[in-house]
Amino acid sequence: MINILLADNQTLTREGLTAILSSQKDICFVGHASNSAHLIELMTAYKPEIVVIDPYHDNAFSINDIKNIYSRFDFADILILSNKRQKSEILEIIELGVKNYVLKDCSPAEIIDAVYATAKGEQFYCKNTLQTIFGNDIAPNKTNGIPLLSIRETEIVHLIADGMANKEIAEKLFLSVHTVKTHRKNIIKKLGFTFKNATELILLISYLSDVLI
């Protein structure tokens, strides 16, 4: 049984999420927190596996609640369910270690998938979240004509995501720095997207996982 605590004081969200997940026999709501203090109280009492939280709505919760959960309750993981669509704020949340972020206008099927992914410790971002981050420059599937990356290009993508600089990648793969730079240019050309930091690149890998060799 997957025990969920919902931290959102919006009645419509509580009732909607309950309705969506009620068909899943292995999912159970243990409580609904209305503010930060209530959240800590319920976390301590019920020890849920998943906290579904909107850190932005109506000032009831904040990013500090996410930090607090991670620092005090190692038995729980976090699923963000929010209307917040600003790229910088979504990335700020993800950089705290949150691996699961869905927008409130995503499909019921995506919300269900997100819950199961969170329970398994897997990463999940709904299509609308990824489109907010990457815009329409990244196509969601092979039918939109995204070329396959080569084995070497895919290897370099993962090393960049690990935070390695061109020189470090060159040394690890026994390549020249010039060759690594050329590969990076080819990757950007193929994907049609210039990644600005490791967080964005990790998300890009997730978004295009079906086209990475």
Side-chain angles (χ1 to χ4, degrees):
M1 185 67 68
I2 301 172
N3 293 319
I4 296 178
L5 174 63
L6 176 60
D8 191 313
N9 66 352
Q10 192 173 31
T11 301
L12 186 60
T13 298
R14 292 200 303 267
E15 294 181 353
L17 188 61
T18 300
I20 289 172
L21 298 178
S22 62
S23 62
Q24 308 302 307
K25 304 303 181 183
D26 55 349
I27 294 176
C28 174
F29 282 100
V30 296
H32 300 99
S34 56
N35 55 53
S36 296
H38 194 206
L39 171 61
I40 298 303
E41 178 185 337
L42 294 180
M43 289 289 295
T44 302
Y46 294 109
K47 294 181 171 56
E49 296 169 65
I50 299 175
V51 179
V52 179
I53 184 171
D54 184 349
Y56 298 111
H57 180 71
D58 199 29
N59 296 319
F61 302 97
S62 70
I63 290 178
N64 287 332
D65 291 304
I66 295 173
K67 296 177 180 178
N68 205 13
I69 290 170
Y70 280 141
S71 64
R72 295 181 58 179
F73 306 104
D74 58 3
F75 51 78
D77 212 336
I78 293 174
L79 169 60
I80 302 296
L81 178 63
S82 178
N83 279 327
K84 206 66 175 179
R85 306 188 77 101
Q86 293 297 318
K87 174 179 176 178
S88 60
E89 289 166 320
I90 292 175
L91 291 176
E92 181 182 15
I93 290 290
I94 293 171
E95 286 169 358
L96 292 176
V98 176
K99 298 185 294 182
N100 305 278
Y101 196 117
V102 294
L103 293 173
K104 290 181 178 179
D105 60 356
C106 73
S107 69
E110 285 184 293
I111 292 176
I112 293 172
D113 288 344
V115 169
Y116 284 117
T118 306
K120 295 176 183 177
E122 298 173 352
Q123 177 177 277
F124 188 95
Y125 304 102
C126 70
K127 291 179 182 178
N128 290 341
T129 296
L130 292 167
Q131 287 175 352
T132 297
I133 296 171
F134 297 117
N136 294 320
D137 294 331
I138 304 298
N141 54 54
K142 293 182 181 180
T143 60
N144 287 343
I146 300 176
L148 289 173
L149 299 182
S150 69
I151 294 175
R152 178 64 82 191
E153 288 167 346
T154 302
E155 190 174 16
I156 289 174
V157 163
H158 284 277
L159 293 176
I160 295 171
D162 287 338
M164 296 182 69
N166 288 341
K167 183 178 179 181
E168 294 172 309
I169 294 173
E171 292 174 352
K172 182 177 180 64
L173 300 180
F174 302 103
L175 301 172
S176 69
V177 173
H178 174 75
T179 299
V180 173
K181 288 181 179 179
T182 300
H183 279 304
R184 289 185 66 133
K185 289 178 181 178
N186 289 337
I187 292 167
I188 292 171
K189 184 178 180 180
K190 284 186 177 183
L191 298 181
F193 178 81
T194 303
F195 37 84
K196 299 179 177 62
N197 55 51
T199 299
E200 289 190 21
L201 184 55
I202 291 168
L203 290 171
L204 179 59
I205 292 171
S206 172
Y207 195 30
L208 297 175
S209 59
D210 64 325
V211 298
L212 292 177
I213 298 174

